[in-house]
Amino acid sequence: MGKTIVCQCEDVTQGDLEDAFEQGFRDLESLKRYTGLATGLCQGKCCIAHAARFLAALKGGDEAAADPPRTRPLLQPTPISCFAGPEELSASPASREGQK
Amino acid sequence: MRDRADLVIIGGGVVGLSLAYHLARLGFTDVVVLEQGYLCFGASGRNGGGVRQQWSTEENIQLMKESVQMFRRLSSETGYNVWFRQGGYLFLARDAASAQGLEANVKLQNRCGVPTRLISPAEAQRVVPGLAPAGIQVCAYNPTDGVLFPFPAVWGMARAATQLGVAVETFTRVTAIEARGRQIVKVVTDRGAIATNRVVNAAGAWSVQVARLLGVELPNKPYRHEILISEPLKPFLDPMVSDLSDGTYFSQTMRGEICGGVSDPAEPSSMETRSSLRFLERMCRAMVRVVPTLANVRVMRQWAGFYDETPDGQPILGRVDEVDGFIQLHGFGGHGMMLAPIVGKLAAEWILRKADHALFQRYDLGRFKRGEVQKETFSIG
Ligand SMILES: Cc1cc2nc3c(=O)[nH]c(=O)nc-3n(C[C@H](O)[C@H](O)[C@H](O)COP(=O)(O)OP(=O)(O)OC[C@H]3O[C@@H](n4cnc5c(N)ncnc54)[C@H](O)[C@@H]3O)c2cc1C
């Protein structure tokens, strides 16, 4: 039987998720941290839905238990140079307040 | 969930779990650890994993020396590889005051048996390939400092404690603590109550709220501290690099990523956990100033956690005046990961009366009223 890959970036298989579940990692935030799932170059865009589905199945069909992990910036990997420009261009604390 | 326990620990971060683990190792397992989220939800799952012995007080240096030895053993003790890598810590001083500070610290660290050396920027370039020497006056380098991967340290302590008989309850939030007079009788959670006379407040940035459940006021303040991680690179960076001029720090993880943060003097106290563009820009600028070739590396992800800060930058450890059996273990600021092993061990010995450690009198909550504070001047970030 072949392997089912859940996360291609970090090479996490369905078997890895089952192992992690056995170890007691039974929510997506913990599965992410334990297996490395969703922490590769795609940042979870390709794998979170699959992982959620597998977790729901492991939990006996409880879809609600598989809340997705909190999405974190950046949207896509971006060179440091893009953010390291002159200070005058960056958001001041005041403008940050304005974004709330 | 157990409905009674000899001791309840509120907070399943590295501090609460280290205490639970060391209590269990001493044979005391009638303990329940209560964690409102998943393990690693708090600061213990959000930090940079830095472990250094370069401090400015003899006490902190000695404690961190112990922690380093304990981290070296932790993987084999718990069965979780914490990826502790002693690649050193390199501090950069860009002004005379910081340079003098490093000089004094190095002398003290050497007296305590820590092999820190002052090195020139040129020598530092051999430790950190690509380091830009311009503007750096002097560096302090200790090759025995290091970094670890925080998650397995947390999981390992939790699993080892559980295997010895402690109960660790995740997704269980403490909502009330009942007392009769000075005596605690019960801890109430959203999953049921636990009868107990002894409670440890190891709730990190949430400690103030937990203490308030018993009418105890703490001076701690939470501050958001942000951090980012890059795409993985071939291993090239041995030490954690820290620029004293702006509180930047970064190191390379065992997965190859560059991971680090920078302090922000404009950050107000809050329970905000969102990431900011301001941090991203400040950190990227700071990294490029230290190692210009990093400009081409891609940032993958950023997140935030809390520094649980006290007025004197030292943790709050020990009893309180108002209630019996209410033990405080919090206020670890930006260095709770590295302090957790030794503080957890000493606290376990102190709670079980196997040894009396002065720490739990000197750093109790009462010190702020008594006015006995000694400030650690070497906190980063
Ligand atoms: C970005 C960042 C970088 C850092 N870098 C380093 C570093 O390089 N080296 C270092 O040594 N330290 C570092 N630190 C500091 C370190 O992470 C903390 O000092 C340490 O994790 C504190 O551990 P703790 O157990 O006290 O707190 P936490 O890990 O926050 O644990 C407290 C726990 O209590 C739980 N809790 C709170 N209220 C309740 C309740 N009512 N009921 C149940 N549970 C509750 C919380 O959910 C939380 O999990 C960093 C911190 C941050 C944020």
Side-chain angles (χ1 to χ4, degrees), chain B residues 11 14-15 35-36 41 43-44 47-48 50 174 225 333-338:
Chain B
V14 69
V15 171
E35 168 53 51
Q36 64 182 354
F41 169 73
S44 304
N47 64 77
V174 174
H225 189 87
H335 48 279
M337 197 74 210
M338 57 182 109

Side-chain angles (χ1 to χ4, degrees), chain B residues 23-70:
Chain B
L23 285 169
R25 283 178 54 134
L26 292 169
F28 184 82
T29 57
D30 192 4
V31 174
V32 181
V33 180
L34 299 173
E35 168 53 51
Q36 64 182 354
Y38 50 90
L39 292 182
C40 294
F41 169 73
S44 304
R46 295 164 187 268
N47 64 77
V51 179
R52 64 182 158 101
Q53 300 148 98
Q54 295 188 58
W55 285 88
S56 73
T57 64
E58 176 157 2
E59 183 161 60
N60 277 338
I61 297 169
Q62 298 295 2
L63 290 171
M64 301 303 177
K65 273 177 71 180
E66 285 293 321
S67 269
V68 164
Q69 294 311 317
M70 293 170 80

